[in-house]
Amino acid sequence: MKMRIAVVAIAAPLSLGACATIPPQNSASTLATAALINTSGQSVGSVEITQNGTAMLFRANVSGQAAGEHGIHLHTTGKCEAPGFTSAGGHLNPTAHQHGSLNPAGPHVGDLPNIVVGTDGTGMIEGPLTGTAAVVLASVFDTDGTAIVLHAGPDDYKTDPSGNSGGRIACGVLMRFPA
């Protein structure tokens, strides 16, 4: 009888431990989304900005694009008027840095890595945003909003102010999520 009590005394805590809730590995919350449109007004992709603790992250998916590398950046104004999308303004740069991760005086908040588009016309990229959560949140959700712009060519990561990434071929306005 003493042996059974010992087994129950050991097994009970182990079985209760199995009922403990395991926290999710990815607790990122979506902060903003954007639908990318091309100069003809057609949907060509989507963008999502998330926060995981103090890390600010972005994810972009594109389709119907020329194969190769394309610059993609956050821009100062949440406006996307075709055909040139110049209404989006310049790169988001609240900290007054120069452009590019290879520039000793850079990067600024609007700088993102190039997105690589495959021969099927699709591409996906995800990664961290430059700057603290406080700076990113304040600048993305300011009074005039923020756009994300896809460029025709690759960003060289050093030429101020825009990385020589060519014309603006798609644009989306970041909308706070949930709206």
Side-chain angles (χ1 to χ4, degrees):
M1 186 66 142
K2 288 183 183 180
M3 181 67 139
R4 278 191 197 171
I5 293 172
V7 169
V8 170
I10 292 171
L14 293 175
S15 64
L16 289 175
C19 294
T21 303
I22 298 172
Q25 294 300 315
N26 183 0
S27 59
S29 58
T30 300
L31 300 177
T33 59
L36 291 171
I37 58 167
N38 65 15
T39 58
S40 301
Q42 298 169 315
S43 176
V44 295
S46 63
V47 176
E48 178 181 53
I49 293 182
T50 60
Q51 184 173 4
N52 190 353
T54 59
M56 302 298 295
L57 311 165
F58 79 98
R59 176 181 300 128
N61 292 286
V62 299
S63 62
Q65 302 305 306
E69 291 185 59
H70 295 267
I72 187 168
H73 307 107
L74 296 175
H75 283 250
T76 60
T77 307
K79 207 175 221 186
C80 291
E81 295 173 349
F85 301 123
T86 57
S87 56
H91 289 190
L92 189 61
N93 189 7
T95 55
H97 286 105
Q98 288 189 10
H99 174 79
S101 59
L102 299 179
N103 184 328
H108 53 244
V109 174
D111 293 341
L112 303 174
N114 288 330
I115 187 168
V116 178
V117 175
T119 57
D120 66 351
T122 66
M124 193 278 290
I125 189 166
E126 54 186 10
L129 293 173
T130 299
T132 66
V135 168
V136 172
L137 290 170
S139 56
V140 167
F141 297 121
D142 64 358
T143 58
D144 63 355
T146 300
I148 188 153
V149 174
L150 180 68
H151 293 268
D155 185 327
D156 67 12
Y157 301 129
K158 61 185 173 194
T159 305
D160 197 51
S162 63
N164 283 334
S165 49
R168 300 171 184 201
I169 58 173
C171 185
V173 175
L174 287 166
M175 304 300 287
R176 191 178 283 269
F177 183 85

